[in-house]
Amino acid sequence: MCHVIVTCRSMLWTLLSIVVAFAELIAFMSADWLIGKAKPSSSEEVDNRMGGQQEPYRPTLGIYGRCTRISHMQFSRRDTLCGPYAENFSEIASGFWQATAIFLAMGIMILCTVAFVSVFTMCVQSIMKKSIFNVCGLLQGIAGLFLILGLILYPAGWGCQKAISYCGPYASAYKLGDCSLGWAFYTAIGGTVLTFICAVFSAQAEIATSSDKVQEEIEEGKNLICLL
């Protein structure tokens, strides 16, 4: 018989696991890892003659994507174009970024799997006499290690030609040059920290769902068990 067991700690772990997976996935797909040096648009002279002022646009560069602005002389219209600069894996700008993509992708795949499984932990708490929470916590720890490796290798690729074209000639491995870090990089770091928090908190979720109070509720014949 399936017992639906919901506790504050197990529900918090489930929600946090889902948030972490989505945060890492969005960061990986974003082009806002590096914010390039300011580049005035080609229509700046037109704006100056018309008395308008335009802040220089700063293009962004991701692991495999980029965002840049295309200016049109007519009506001074500007379009921001975002998309992948690499059509395939081998065209990613740096070998270090290729390794980063591999490690981040592996970590994100594990996190997405755990997030999917965590939804069903309300009904199934163990498989083959092993706690799902403990298994998921172990997988989250492994995913966190993959994410750390990817984030450590990423700055080593700042010396590639693609990064130099965005960050200036002074950019090199672990040196940003004229670039600054975008929100995607910080999101990836925050998600990595939360991944290890989830791994640790999974043990608390397991304790909460196997407590004496839960066992008492099961013995009383209840199928839906909600505890604080």
Side-chain angles (χ1 to χ4, degrees):
M1 181 178 297
C2 176
H3 298 280
V4 179
I5 303 174
V6 180
T7 69
C8 285
R9 283 178 284 181
S10 64
M11 183 58 66
L12 180 60
W13 173 78
T14 297
L15 294 176
L16 195 58
S17 297
I18 295 172
V19 169
V20 166
F22 273 103
E24 289 290 347
L25 181 60
I26 292 172
F28 178 72
M29 297 175 64
S30 173
D32 291 327
W33 284 70
L34 286 179
I35 302 175
K37 62 181 180 180
K39 294 181 179 180
S41 69
S42 59
S43 60
E44 186 177 18
E45 294 181 0
V46 176
D47 289 342
N48 290 338
R49 287 198 299 268
M50 296 177 64
Q53 291 184 349
Q54 175 198 356
E55 292 184 1
Y57 176 72
R58 302 191 70 180
T60 60
L61 179 65
I63 297 174
Y64 63 89
R66 53 91 182 99
C67 283
T68 187
R69 175 172 290 179
I70 299 176
S71 298
H72 302 269
M73 294 300 292
Q74 186 179 12
F75 307 118
S76 298
R77 182 168 62 87
R78 303 169 187 86
D79 294 327
T80 300
L81 178 64
C82 295
Y85 67 82
E87 295 183 359
N88 52 64
F89 181 78
S90 62
E91 292 183 359
I92 293 178
S94 168
F96 291 108
W97 288 3
Q98 291 176 354
T100 295
I102 292 174
F103 284 123
L104 291 185
M106 292 175 65
I108 291 170
M109 287 179 61
I110 295 174
L111 290 178
C112 289
T113 301
V114 171
F116 178 77
V117 172
S118 67
V119 177
F120 298 96
T121 56
M122 292 183 292
C123 294
V124 182
Q125 289 78 41
S126 63
I127 295 179
M128 299 178 64
K129 298 183 179 180
K130 292 185 178 180
S131 170
I132 290 182
F133 297 102
N134 291 338
V135 173
C136 287
L138 176 61
L139 290 175
Q140 286 174 327
I142 295 173
L145 294 177
F146 283 135
L147 296 176
I148 287 177
L149 288 174
L151 292 174
I152 289 175
L153 290 173
Y154 172 70
W158 291 346
C160 68
Q161 190 59 44
K162 190 75 174 179
I164 291 174
S165 66
Y166 277 72
C167 304
Y170 297 106
S172 61
Y174 296 97
K175 293 183 180 179
L176 282 170
D178 295 326
C179 282
S180 59
L181 293 172
W183 66 264
F185 182 79
Y186 292 113
T187 299
I189 291 178
T192 302
V193 174
L194 288 177
T195 297
F196 285 104
I197 293 177
C198 283
V200 174
F201 200 70
S202 65
Q204 293 298 317
E206 195 276 332
I207 292 173
T209 56
S210 60
S211 64
D212 293 337
K213 290 183 179 180
V214 171
Q215 297 303 319
E216 290 175 1
E217 297 280 350
I218 292 175
E219 291 174 359
E220 291 176 3
K222 295 182 179 179
N223 292 327
L224 177 59
I225 302 169
C226 297
L227 297 174
L228 296 177

